[in-house]
C-alpha cells in the first residue's frame, strides 16, 4: 500500500509561482509512475503532469511551458513547479502514484493523496 502526502499549496497572485511536493511512503523500492492532477469546483479531475519510467513526462496543454514536474527517486518524491500562475489554475491539486511502469491517459492511477489547494487570485 502506497501512501501519498502533498504539501506546498496556498494562495498566490496571478503571475506568481508555487512548488508542490508529494512524498510516497509504505512501499519498498521505486514508485515508477507519479503524477499531479487537479480538480476545480464544478469541473472534472484532469491530469496536469505525469512522469514514468517508460515514456518520461507529459503535460496538459494548458500548463506546458509554465509547469515542470520532477522527481527524486531516492525519496520517492515528485514535485510540481508552477510558474506564471493564472486564475484558471485555481483548483485542488492531487498527487497520484502507481506501481506500473506507465499509466496511459485513459487509465486510472491506483494511489491518491488527499490534495492541496491552490488559489490564484487578486
Amino acid at each position: 500500500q502506497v501512501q501519498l502526502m502533498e504539501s506546498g499549496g496556498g494562495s498566490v497572485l496571478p503571475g506568481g509561482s508555487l512548488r508542490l511536493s508529494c512524498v510516497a511512503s509504505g512501499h519498498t523500492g521505486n514508485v515508477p509512475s507519479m503524477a499531479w492532477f487537479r480538480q476545480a469546483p464544478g469541473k472534472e479531475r484532469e491530469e496536469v503532469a505525469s512522469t514514468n519510467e517508460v515514456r518520461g513526462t507529459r503535460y496538459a496543454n494548458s500548463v506546458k511551458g509554465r509547469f515542470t514536474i520532477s522527481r527524486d527517486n531516492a525519496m520517492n518524491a515528485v514535485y510540481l513547479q508552477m510558474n506564471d500562475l493564472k486564475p484558471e489554475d485555481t483548483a485542488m491539486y492531487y498527487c497520484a502514484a502507481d506501481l506500473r511502469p506507465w499509466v496511459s491517459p485513459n487509465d486510472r492511477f491506483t494511489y491518491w493523496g488527499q490534495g492541496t489547494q491552490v488559489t490564484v487570485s487578486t
Side-chain angles (χ1 to χ4, degrees):
Q1 189 76 5
V2 176
Q3 293 85 44
L4 301 172
M5 179 64 71
E6 305 107 329
S7 62
S11 296
V12 64
L13 295 172
S17 298
L18 283 173
R19 184 175 187 250
L20 305 183
S21 300
C22 172
V23 178
S25 62
H27 175 70
T28 302
N30 185 43
V31 177
S33 297
M34 300 189 79
W36 288 97
F37 286 73
R38 67 185 180 187
Q39 187 168 21
K43 295 188 177 181
E44 292 187 355
R45 186 176 295 186
E46 64 171 344
E47 182 181 304
V48 176
S50 65
T51 178
N52 61 79
E53 296 180 344
V54 176
R55 301 195 178 186
T57 60
R58 65 178 182 237
Y59 294 91
N61 288 333
S62 59
V63 306
K64 284 181 180 177
R66 300 188 297 122
F67 291 11
T68 303
I69 189 170
S70 61
R71 62 179 301 162
D72 181 336
N73 289 330
M75 296 189 61
N76 270 337
V78 66
Y79 309 97
L80 186 68
Q81 178 66 44
M82 305 184 293
N83 298 328
D84 190 23
L85 282 160
K86 305 173 187 283
E88 51 264 40
D89 295 317
T90 296
M92 184 71 77
Y93 283 71
Y94 297 90
C95 177
D98 206 286
L99 299 181
R100 292 171 288 175
W102 178 66
V103 180
S104 77
N106 296 322
D107 203 344
R108 179 177 168 83
F109 280 75
T110 303
Y111 304 102
W112 293 83
Q114 294 298 308
T116 185
Q117 178 68 37
V118 172
T119 302
V120 185
S121 72
T122 56

